[in-house]
């Protein structure tokens, strides 16, 4: 079944984002037309991939260029394309060169050290929430402070300067919440912020990511623009994505409270539960950042021509009936869960182990400390941030 109309490919996105719901058209396409044409908000038409196997093939194929998608005529969901010089907008060999530099800051020893600090931070924040008495706000008390502190620790951003960084972050990841002029201004602001940090830290290096970037910059392994824009990419992924995911996981567990009770009663389920929530939660409100075909490529029996733009919706692929049994059911005992929550191929998320650790520490402490935790009102009353790439509650009022 082809989901089109007489005016051409359907307009994308398909409708208003509602909490953690995945628009039904994604699943229809995954089942019947896993590679289909859509009309994007900016730049014209693109291919949308919704099938699991087709997404994996696309992500593993170097003939789809991220760098080519930085052109302003690229079909996309954001008012502006990504700027060149960011890991997400790079192709080989530059991508491999810079990824190798950045990976140094995500070594297992570093992540393990951060996990110890995470637990102390979460304990302190939950102490404050408990002492203040109900109601509390899990966004302000947990989802914001944990990733902010971790990115401060990992990256080496002075904690007292976090407000300046956060001033730009929401604007940076906007789809419709801000104008392209505002987004461009936020990008310039973040680049200036990073350049100042690099200049300040040159004589005081340590084991953090900023020091790694400075050493690589001074050794001629990357340019200043690459150092700054790669740094911004890590900052945004480590902050906004983690903040949104902690908020979304908390909302999911409390809006379907039997899941929260299940975790509280059986902490051994924590690891598979986290993987299941990474699978089921559609973190992005819209499809992926685009890539463009550098030559003709066939995916799922569909010929994608050189120069054409492709996006994918990971959450649709992670509900593909060909791969996941009862894909719409949340099962914390799911034995096989090869989800694409952290991507696939050369752009697989460098911070996956850190993100998993953040979620695990947050949920272990939350379920152990507040077994009676619940939303203060109906799930439908929880406010959500509008017009951003990642969906997330604006606040998550709870009582216990």
């Amino acid at each position: 079944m082809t989901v089109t109309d007489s005016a051409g490919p359907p307009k994308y996105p398909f409708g208003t984002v509602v909490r953690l719901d995945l628009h039904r058209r994604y699943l229809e396409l995954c089942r019947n037309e896993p590679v289909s044409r859509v009309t994007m908000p900016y730049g014209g038409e693109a291919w949308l991939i919704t099938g699991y196997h087709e997404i994996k093939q696309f992500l593993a194929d170097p003939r789809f260029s991220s760098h080519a998608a930085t052109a302003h005529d690229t079909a996309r969901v954001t008012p502006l394309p990504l700027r060149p010089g960011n890991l997400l907008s790079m192709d080989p060999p530059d991508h491999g060169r810079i990824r190798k530099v950045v990976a140094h800051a995500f070594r297992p020893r570093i992540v393990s050290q951060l996990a110890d600090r995470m637990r102390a931070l979460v304990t302190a924040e939950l102490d404050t929430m408990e002492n203040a008495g109900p109601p509390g706000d899990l966004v302000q008390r947990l989802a914001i402070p944990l990733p902010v502190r971790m990115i401060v620790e990992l990256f080496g951003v002075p904690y007292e300067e976090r407000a300046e960084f956060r001033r730009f972050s929401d604007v940076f990841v906007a789809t419709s919440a801000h104008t392209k002029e505002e987004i461009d201004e936020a990008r310039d602001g973040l680049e200036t912020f990073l350049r100042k940090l690099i200049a300040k830290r040159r004589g005081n290096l340590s084991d953090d990511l900023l020091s790694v970037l400075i050493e690589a910059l001074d050794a001629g392994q990357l340019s200043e623009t690459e150092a700054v824009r790669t740094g911004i990419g890590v900052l945004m992924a480590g902050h906004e994505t983690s903040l949104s995911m902690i908020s979304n996981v908390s909302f999911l567990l409390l809006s379907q409270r039997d899941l929260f009770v299940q975790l509280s009663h059986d902490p051994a389920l924590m690891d598979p539960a986290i993987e299941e929530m990474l699978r089921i939660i559609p973190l992005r409100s819209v499809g992926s950042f685009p890539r463009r075909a550098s030559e003709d490529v066939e995916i799922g029996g569909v010929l994608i021509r050189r120069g054409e733009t492709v996006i994918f919706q990971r959450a649709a692929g992670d509900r593909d009936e060909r791969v996941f049994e009862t894909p719409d059911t949340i099962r914390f005992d799911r034995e096989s869960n090869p989800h694409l929550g952290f991507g696939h191929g050369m752009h697989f998320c460098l911070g996956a182990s850190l993100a998993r650790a953040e979620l695990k520490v947050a949920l272990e402490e939350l379920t152990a400390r507040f077994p009676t935790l619940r939303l203060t009102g109906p799930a439908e009353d929880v406010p959500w941030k509008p017009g951003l790439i990642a969906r997330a509650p604006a606040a998550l009022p709870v009582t216990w």
Side-chain angles (χ1 to χ4, degrees):
M1 179 184 75
T2 301
V3 185
T4 59
D5 57 42
S6 58
K11 289 183 178 179
Y12 185 83
F14 300 130
T16 304
V17 172
V18 180
R19 296 183 293 277
L20 296 182
D21 298 345
L22 186 64
H23 196 285
R24 62 180 177 79
R25 184 170 287 189
Y26 286 121
L27 302 180
E28 292 170 0
L29 288 171
C30 177
R31 186 177 298 115
N32 302 305
E33 194 181 359
V35 184
S36 64
R37 278 304 255 182
V38 291
T39 302
M40 302 288 276
Y42 307 93
E45 296 181 10
W47 292 100
L48 170 66
I49 305 182
T50 49
Y52 179 91
H53 300 298
E54 293 79 9
I55 291 173
K56 283 193 75 173
Q57 181 187 341
F58 165 69
L59 291 175
D61 196 323
R63 293 174 294 178
F64 292 102
S65 168
S66 297
H67 178 73
T70 61
H72 278 261
D73 66 345
T74 300
R76 59 191 187 275
V77 296
T78 54
L80 292 170
L82 286 173
R83 289 178 174 178
N86 184 316
L87 265 176
L88 286 174
S89 60
M90 285 183 179
D91 299 328
D94 290 336
H95 177 272
R97 169 175 57 88
I98 294 181
R99 186 179 173 96
K100 185 177 179 180
V101 169
V102 176
H104 190 69
F106 289 93
R107 302 187 305 283
R109 176 177 63 83
I110 301 295
V111 173
S112 177
Q113 290 173 353
L114 288 172
D116 293 337
R117 295 175 202 167
M118 284 178 210
R119 200 166 297 276
L121 172 67
V122 171
T123 298
E125 291 290 342
L126 295 184
D127 282 346
T128 302
M129 186 171 87
E130 186 173 27
N131 291 337
D137 179 3
L138 287 186
V139 171
Q140 292 298 322
R141 196 46 68 193
L142 187 63
I144 291 176
L146 178 55
V148 167
R149 174 59 81 176
M150 287 306 102
I151 213 65
V152 163
E153 299 265 357
L154 173 73
F155 204 88
V157 177
Y159 190 66
E160 62 274 12
E161 295 182 26
R162 69 196 184 282
E164 184 179 356
F165 160 64
R166 291 209 67 229
R167 183 161 60 90
F168 300 118
S169 61
D170 267 0
V171 183
F172 188 95
V173 294
T175 53
S176 59
H178 295 277
T179 66
K180 66 180 181 180
E181 291 78 17
E182 290 170 330
I183 294 170
D184 224 22
E185 185 179 336
R187 291 178 174 185
D188 289 340
L190 278 173
E191 290 192 15
T192 300
F193 177 71
L194 260 293
R195 283 193 169 91
K196 282 195 233 175
L197 275 181
I198 286 172
K200 269 194 216 176
R201 287 287 305 284
R202 266 215 155 89
N204 183 28
L205 302 184
S206 64
D207 211 16
D208 56 48
L209 179 57
L210 192 60
S211 299
V212 168
L213 291 174
I214 291 170
E215 288 174 347
L217 175 59
D218 291 346
Q221 294 175 290
L222 67 169
S223 69
E224 184 181 44
T225 297
E226 289 172 338
V228 167
R229 292 183 179 172
T230 295
I232 289 171
V234 175
L235 273 173
M236 297 308 301
H239 173 254
E240 284 297 327
T241 305
S242 292
L243 186 162
S244 299
M245 200 61 188
I246 293 169
S247 301
N248 290 334
V249 164
S250 299
F251 172 81
L252 176 65
L253 291 173
L254 294 174
S255 62
Q256 301 184 46
R257 201 171 173 282
D258 58 313
L259 298 176
F260 185 85
V261 171
Q262 194 177 354
L263 273 189
S264 297
H265 288 170
D266 190 357
L269 287 174
M270 190 63 70
D271 287 336
I274 287 171
E275 298 308 309
E276 180 70 342
M277 288 184 284
L278 287 167
R279 180 189 74 85
I280 202 74
I281 289 174
L283 176 61
R284 290 181 65 98
S285 60
V286 289
S288 65
F289 291 115
R291 299 184 195 179
R292 297 181 84 158
S294 60
E295 58 183 84
D296 291 359
V297 184
E298 184 175 304
I299 293 186
V302 174
L303 181 63
I304 297 170
R305 299 282 185 187
R306 179 185 177 191
E308 291 183 329
T309 300
V310 183
I311 66 167
F312 65 95
Q313 175 48 275
R314 186 278 310 168
D318 276 345
R319 299 193 196 190
D320 193 326
E321 296 167 340
R322 297 172 295 174
V323 179
F324 300 96
E325 185 180 353
T326 59
D328 292 328
T329 303
I330 300 172
R331 289 174 44 191
F332 290 168
D333 61 348
R334 191 177 292 276
E335 292 183 7
S336 175
N337 196 350
H339 65 78
L340 299 171
F342 291 113
H344 177 71
M346 68 178 179
H347 286 285
F348 183 84
C349 178
L350 269 169
S353 59
L354 182 61
R356 284 185 168 105
E358 287 182 357
L359 284 171
K360 185 171 184 177
V361 169
L363 292 179
E364 282 178 344
E365 295 299 321
L366 196 63
T367 53
R369 176 78 69 92
F370 299 106
T372 62
L373 194 72
R374 59 194 183 278
L375 295 175
T376 59
E380 294 76 17
D381 291 346
V382 170
W384 290 75
K385 296 179 181 179
L388 302 179
I389 291 173
R391 61 179 90 197
L396 200 54
V398 293
T399 189
W400 56 92

